[in-house]
Amino acid sequence: GENVEQHPSTLSVQEGDSAVIKCTYSDSASNYFPWYKQELGKRPQLIIDIRSNVGEKKDQRIAVTLNKTAKHFSLHITETQPEDSAVYFCAASPPTGANSKLTFGKGITLSVRP
Amino acid sequence: DAGVIQSPRHEVTEMGQEVTLRCKPISGHNSLFWYRQTMMRGLELLIYFNNNVPIDDSGMPEDRFSAKMPNASFSTLKIQPSEPRDSAVYFCASSLARRSHYGYTFGSGTRLTVV
């Protein structure tokens, strides 16, 4: 089955700097890669996703890049703000079907220092 | 849409008691997932349903855990008997699985404390 790993487990940046969170996956058949943000005491929420037919996707201050050859994808946050502090989960999924499901990484805690 | 609705939000129970967690998925979504989240283990998939049918329950810890989805708008996760190590936040999520993937929408979770 799919195995998704995130490194490092924690990341601290100064407000205004950029943050990059990286994930690797094992199943070359995976073709959907979402990112979730979970603030303290709240639910995980989808913030951006990418499909394997594109290499990059942007949405305001966040972007995701995908390297299918190396089987890794990254979340980029520019001009970080204190409200970006949260746990970020990456996930991967094989092509859709009744038995298809997301496999989540363990999460990375991002701290943005004011 | 009100999103994925879970109840109760908080549950405190004594060891040995039965606990039932409830979930109402987003209308029209055909897949439903139960997750458990702890500091040590992160997000663990317990079981998921597709079109109300259980597809994979390999994440269910043991026979004390059971889940049902009697119809497209309701699911339950039951723990009987409960133990202190079951204390965690339990999330329900739903999604629409068709030709293209869509992300999961999570409920607010149920924080379970077993004393």
Side-chain angles (χ1 to χ4, degrees):
Chain A
E2 175 66 276
N3 182 45
V4 176
E5 295 190 353
Q6 295 186 242
H7 297 283
S9 60
T10 61
L11 179 64
S12 180
V13 299
Q14 192 70 38
E15 181 178 359
D17 288 349
S18 295
V20 181
I21 301 171
K22 300 178 182 178
C23 282
T24 60
Y25 63 99
S26 61
D27 187 351
S28 57
S30 288
N31 67 348
Y32 176 67
F33 308 91
W35 284 88
Y36 288 80
K37 174 184 180 183
Q38 186 178 27
E39 297 176 4
L40 189 62
K42 297 191 176 180
R43 76 187 80 185
Q45 290 193 293
L46 177 68
I47 56 172
I48 194 168
D49 56 14
I50 191 169
R51 292 176 170 79
S52 59
N53 57 345
V54 298
E56 184 176 0
K57 184 177 179 180
K58 290 183 179 180
D59 183 4
Q60 300 182 345
R61 293 188 298 109
I62 61 173
V64 57
T65 57
L66 172 65
N67 184 326
K68 290 170 56 180
T69 302
K71 290 191 284 189
H72 69 70
F73 55 113
S74 300
L75 178 70
H76 304 253
I77 306 174
T78 59
E79 301 173 18
T80 53
Q81 301 167 5
E83 52 264 39
D84 295 327
S85 295
V87 177
Y88 290 82
F89 294 93
C90 61
S93 177
T96 56
N99 296 337
S100 174
K101 63 180 181 181
L102 286 175
T103 298
F104 285 87
K106 296 292 186 186
I108 289 178
T109 300
L110 173 65
S111 300
V112 179
R113 305 186 302 273
Chain B
D1 198 319
V4 177
I5 300 173
Q6 291 187 247
S7 65
R9 290 295 306 274
H10 302 275
E11 177 80 33
V12 180
T13 190
E14 291 185 348
M15 181 174 62
Q17 295 298 306
E18 177 180 299
V19 176
T20 299
L21 312 181
R22 298 172 176 80
C23 176
K24 177 179 169 57
I26 290 175
S27 177
H29 280 190
N30 59 356
S31 293
L32 183 140
F33 308 82
W34 282 101
Y35 284 88
R36 178 171 67 177
Q37 186 174 39
T38 61
M39 289 293 293
M40 292 296 295
R41 295 176 179 242
L43 270 172
E44 298 177 274
L45 177 64
L46 301 177
I47 185 172
Y48 76 99
F49 297 83
N50 186 266
N51 293 322
N52 313 337
V53 176
I55 301 300
D56 184 353
D57 65 354
S58 60
M60 297 287 260
E62 47 199 273
D63 293 344
R64 298 185 297 107
F65 286 68
S66 63
K68 295 182 179 180
M69 191 165 187
N71 56 61
S73 59
F74 184 65
S75 177
T76 59
L77 177 67
K78 185 178 294 186
I79 308 173
Q80 165 63 21
S82 58
E83 297 181 3
R85 60 192 168 121
D86 301 331
S87 298
V89 179
Y90 290 81
F91 286 103
C92 174
S94 70
S95 73
L96 177 63
R98 283 190 174 173
R99 294 175 61 186
S100 296
H101 261 301
Y102 297 90
Y104 297 176
T105 301
F106 284 81
S108 297
T110 295
R111 181 173 296 276
L112 174 65
T113 304
V114 183
V115 299

